[in-house]
Amino acid sequence: LIQNADHTPATRTIQEVIDRINNDADNGGTITASIVPEPEPNANVSLRIKDNTGGLLSNLIIASTIANPYAARDLGIEADVAADDFDGNRLIAGINSVLVASLNGGAGLSGNNSLTINDRSGGSDTFALDEDGSLSEIIDLINNSGAINITASLNNSGNGLLITDTVGGGGNLTISGTAASELGIAADVAADSVRGTSLQIRYVAEGSTLTGLNYGRGIGTGEFRITDGDGRIATVKIGTDAISLYDIIREINGQASAASPPLSINARVNDNGDGLLIENTGGSGIIRVDTINGTTAADLGIVGQAASDGADIDGSFEKTVTVNKADTLSEIVSAINDAGIPVTASILNTGAGPTPFQISFSSLISGTPGALVIDAKDDTGAVFDLGLTTISQGQNAKVFFGSNDPAQGVLIERSSNTLTDVLSGVTVDLVSASSSPVTLTVTRDTSGITEKVAEFVDAFNDVIARIDQYDFFDVETETRGPLLGNTTTAQVRNALFNIVNRTTTGVTTKFTRLSEVGIRIGSDSNLVFDQAKFLAAYQDDPIAVENLFAALKSTTTTTQQIAPGVTITKNETTFSQLGFGDLFDQLLDNLTNSIDGTLTIADESLQDKIDLTTKRIEEFDERIQIQRERMQREFTAMETALALLQNQSNALLSLVGNLTFAQNLFSNTVRR
């Protein structure tokens, strides 16, 4: 067993894998890798690993590492054999086909390779399927059978098999054997065809590049927060150094494990091989994912919370829309359009026949990545045919570059008719097909460049103007801005002007200051753009102007050896060259990032003051309420006392009146 160290950066091609093994210093030639040659089985489609030691003490062992547990498996070379040579499994299926090993989310047939088909007229044949082969080879094996009247093909959705009896008869069409269920075609029916269920072809794996995911739109950078079922939180940040889905999985699981205590979650490719799964590995509550900034979590389809306690979050790119039998066409269309799928549904009125209304589906993704696979299942889970017809097939734009002879030209294929990454700095619009060569004359778009620089200057001045709206003092009216004297606004203003006045980092070409290309600070503390000076500098040395704005050179250290044999992951990026574009980008990140950005901290400080003031107002309100209640009680007591006094006064007045009456009566009696 030759143990070699993990390496970075990751390899991207099979040739790079071969070179990495053969050129490894620790290996020293004891193990060599190559492509299996002709006429061997799996020639040109699999790897050969050769042990050159000639040793008899141990088996040749090829295994993945803890840091990358899927490498050997995905390369098809996982082995423990008593041999000097080992030929791996097939890595490619062939044109317009897929490997059997990629079916069922990457589980393949799981050792179930026996298939028996009985046609309706009594013919029967049993097949031993090659689990290391391709799906097209299984189809050819069935179609080449002389014992049964059966044709095999892909179903109309292109995601499963269609088995058709070409003659018919009185018996049933039966498909059995251990492979029948794995292929989704197990049946015993009095029908001429069997439409297989989805084969769940794995198109997402740990090694899938991020640029190819999200329906070909790629996975953006960003930061998101994962909360496990017990309320523990880990923050995951995905930058431009992430190349494959494995990089994201490693970062998620690494941050979850590093938390104290560790989170009860695990990230992996889901069982169907069509998206990222965030597993709840023990938390009793609901796990959730929230975006902090960027689009990473949204692009992966994992934003939100699990459906229930203990459930997982599945970022499958396969989406399900549930409709009821009683739904109208309008309700079905609304359900599809509200599902967040890059597909629009609309009602088409053909105006013909008793059922003129039809549903039309349109992909929002251009080119081949936008091809739609639509399946329907009833309440029992049985697949049925929607009767869909392809009106327009999604396909990539293709153009030959360099020669009108396809044998000499370079084929360029993109999902859009606009080519932006073929020639650096050049955008080519493919307008229509042509039978003759089209000559492109490429010149520098100086007006466009000048316009972009002017937009930068205007944006800078707009920021300063917005700061001045709140940080000012008018001598005549003695009016103060609400942020006058605020240290944060002064810090932001000074930081912006410091960037404008400084030089680039590590740039050795002619221009290193903005003032050298016509961008300077004017008398009113605004940036002034001298377009004539800029154009003169650009014509003199366009590369130097480009470096002034766009130079970027960095070194990323992903591992660090802290002791012999002990290596930890530690992502550190050191910049040796920075143009003004990235200088401003780093400044803005320092000002606005959600963790310790200057404006973030200032915002939190202001919010704390607002919260404190709000709390004091609430306390004052409580005191006022207590005072109000006390005064109300005193007022009520006073009113009660006054009422009693009033009653006593009335009683006394009544008594005085009675005495007066009695006195008058007595006087009258005496006179008589």
Side-chain angles (χ1 to χ4, degrees):
L1 173 62
I2 304 297
Q3 292 186 333
N4 291 347
D6 294 337
H7 293 271
T8 55
T11 57
R12 301 187 185 186
T13 65
I14 294 299
Q15 186 59 54
E16 287 182 0
V17 172
I18 294 173
D19 294 340
R20 184 68 60 83
I21 295 173
N22 293 340
N23 299 331
D24 184 77
D26 296 332
N27 180 6
T30 56
I31 299 291
T32 54
S34 61
I35 299 294
V36 175
E38 298 281 2
E40 302 291 334
N42 286 348
N44 303 318
V45 294
S46 62
L47 286 172
R48 169 171 291 179
I49 305 299
K50 182 175 180 60
D51 182 347
N52 298 307
T53 63
L56 301 175
L57 299 179
S58 175
N59 284 359
L60 170 61
I61 301 173
I62 308 171
S64 299
T65 64
I66 295 176
N68 191 353
Y70 309 106
R73 181 203 68 183
D74 290 345
L75 289 170
I77 55 175
E78 201 165 34
D80 185 349
V81 295
D84 291 336
D85 296 339
F86 177 76
D87 290 351
N89 296 330
R90 290 177 62 164
L91 296 176
I92 56 176
I95 298 176
N96 294 328
S97 188
V98 295
L99 290 172
V100 174
S102 69
L103 305 182
N104 298 310
L109 299 182
S110 302
N112 302 305
N113 64 345
S114 177
L115 180 68
T116 298
I117 300 178
N118 296 312
D119 64 24
R120 302 194 67 184
S121 59
S124 178
D125 202 351
T126 297
F127 309 93
L129 307 183
D130 182 6
E131 294 189 71
D132 193 28
S134 67
L135 182 61
S136 60
E137 290 172 345
I138 292 179
I139 292 175
D140 291 341
L141 185 65
I142 296 173
N143 290 337
N144 292 332
S145 171
I148 51 177
N149 298 307
I150 294 291
T151 59
S153 61
L154 292 178
N155 61 29
N156 59 346
S157 293
N159 66 346
L161 291 174
L162 177 66
I163 305 299
T164 303
D165 189 311
T166 58
V167 175
N172 281 4
L173 171 59
T174 63
I175 308 172
S176 60
T178 57
S181 296
E182 302 291 342
L183 293 173
I185 54 176
D188 186 354
V189 293
D192 290 336
S193 65
V194 172
R195 186 182 189 274
T197 59
S198 173
L199 290 169
Q200 295 296 346
I201 299 169
R202 181 180 72 169
Y203 59 86
V204 173
E206 291 83 4
S208 297
T209 58
L210 300 183
T211 55
L213 298 181
N214 191 20
Y215 311 103
R217 296 177 296 185
I219 305 296
T221 58
E223 194 172 6
F224 54 92
R225 182 186 304 109
I226 299 179
T227 305
D228 74 358
D230 295 321
R232 295 186 290 265
I233 294 175
T235 299
V236 180
K237 186 174 183 179
I238 304 300
T240 56
D241 57 333
I243 304 299
S244 67
L245 184 59
Y246 175 71
D247 294 330
I248 293 180
I249 291 174
R250 180 177 59 182
E251 185 67 20
I252 293 175
N253 292 336
Q255 293 299 327
S257 299
S260 182
L263 273 65
S264 298
I265 63 102
N266 177 60
R268 64 175 177 86
V269 175
N270 63 19
D271 293 337
N272 285 340
D274 60 11
L276 178 66
L277 182 73
I278 308 297
E279 283 184 302
N280 187 337
T281 59
S284 58
I286 294 178
I287 64 174
R288 64 176 296 110
V289 177
D290 298 290
T291 292
I292 298 175
N293 58 62
T295 63
T296 305
D299 293 341
L300 290 168
I302 57 174
V303 173
Q305 65 180 34
S308 60
D309 292 346
D312 306 328
I313 295 177
D314 193 347
S316 171
F317 291 114
E318 178 181 282
K319 304 299 181 182
T320 300
V321 180
T322 302
V323 296
N324 299 315
K325 294 180 180 178
D327 287 346
T328 64
L329 282 181
S330 296
E331 290 172 335
I332 294 174
V333 166
S334 295
I336 295 171
N337 291 333
D338 294 341
I341 311 171
V343 171
T344 58
S346 57
I347 298 176
L348 178 66
N349 184 358
T350 64
T355 56
F357 297 101
Q358 300 179 6
I359 296 180
S360 174
F361 298 90
S362 298
S363 173
L364 298 178
I365 310 298
S366 63
T368 301
L372 297 178
V373 177
I374 302 175
D375 248 349
K377 296 181 180 179
D378 60 20
D379 294 338
T380 66
V383 177
F384 64 89
D385 191 353
L386 285 173
L388 299 176
T389 301
T390 300
I391 299 175
S392 177
Q393 178 68 44
Q395 56 185 341
N396 288 345
K398 300 178 182 179
V399 62
F400 284 100
F401 175 76
S403 174
N404 61 333
D405 182 1
Q408 302 295 325
V410 177
L411 177 62
I412 298 172
E413 182 176 354
R414 295 292 186 273
S415 61
S416 169
N417 288 334
T418 299
L419 310 180
T420 59
D421 56 353
V422 176
L423 298 173
S424 179
V426 176
T427 298
V428 179
D429 290 321
L430 303 178
V431 178
S432 62
S434 174
S435 58
S436 58
V438 175
T439 301
L440 297 178
T441 301
V442 179
T443 59
R444 294 186 184 276
D445 184 12
T446 55
S447 61
I449 296 172
T450 305
E451 181 181 343
K452 293 298 181 183
V453 175
E455 289 177 1
F456 158 73
V457 171
D458 290 341
F460 182 94
N461 290 335
D462 181 62
V463 171
I464 299 301
R466 290 175 183 271
I467 294 175
D468 291 341
Q469 282 182 333
Y470 302 98
D471 183 12
F472 69 90
F473 179 76
D474 191 319
V475 177
E476 295 181 358
T477 63
E478 296 187 355
T479 304
R480 298 167 56 92
L483 295 178
L484 179 66
N486 182 274
T487 56
T488 301
T489 54
Q491 184 178 352
V492 171
R493 181 191 284 109
N494 292 337
L496 289 169
F497 281 111
N498 286 339
I499 291 290
V500 172
N501 286 322
R502 65 164 292 175
T503 61
T504 55
T505 298
V507 176
T508 58
T509 45
K510 185 174 182 179
F511 305 119
T512 59
R513 291 183 178 275
L514 290 176
S515 58
E516 296 172 335
V517 296
I519 302 173
R520 59 179 178 82
I521 300 175
S523 58
D524 57 352
S525 296
N526 277 341
L527 282 189
V528 178
F529 181 35
D530 186 342
Q531 294 192 17
K533 186 174 182 179
F534 176 82
L535 289 173
Y538 190 79
Q539 292 172 358
D540 177 39
D541 194 339
I543 299 300
V545 175
E546 178 182 344
N547 290 339
L548 178 70
F549 288 96
L552 177 63
K553 189 174 183 180
S554 63
T555 303
T556 301
T557 303
T558 55
T559 60
Q560 179 181 0
Q561 185 173 354
I562 60 175
V566 180
T567 301
I568 62 173
T569 300
K570 186 177 182 181
N571 294 323
E572 291 186 350
T573 302
T574 303
F575 295 95
S576 56
Q577 287 187 4
L578 283 173
F580 277 98
D582 284 282
L583 286 173
F584 273 102
D585 184 64
Q586 290 189 3
L587 170 63
L588 294 177
D589 182 65
N590 291 335
L591 292 175
T592 63
N593 80 76
S594 61
I595 305 300
D596 57 357
T598 302
L599 296 178
T600 302
I601 295 174
D603 179 68
E604 292 173 350
S605 176
L606 288 173
Q607 187 61 50
D608 290 341
K609 292 179 180 179
I610 292 172
D611 293 342
L612 179 60
T613 302
T614 301
K615 183 177 180 181
R616 294 183 64 184
I617 292 173
E618 291 174 351
E619 291 174 350
F620 279 130
D621 287 342
E622 291 177 0
R623 292 177 184 176
I624 291 172
Q625 181 63 27
I626 293 172
Q627 185 74 2
R628 178 185 293 111
E629 292 174 354
R630 183 181 65 81
M631 296 181 70
Q632 284 177 341
R633 288 195 302 269
E634 292 176 350
F635 181 79
T636 300
M638 183 180 68
E639 286 289 311
T640 302
L642 289 173
L644 291 173
L645 290 173
Q646 184 68 39
N647 289 336
Q648 291 177 357
S649 175
N650 292 335
L652 289 173
L653 290 173
S654 177
L655 180 60
V656 170
N658 290 336
L659 289 174
T660 302
F661 176 77
Q663 184 179 9
N664 292 333
L665 181 62
F666 178 75
S667 298
N668 292 333
T669 302
V670 170
R671 288 190 191 100
R672 290 182 184 150

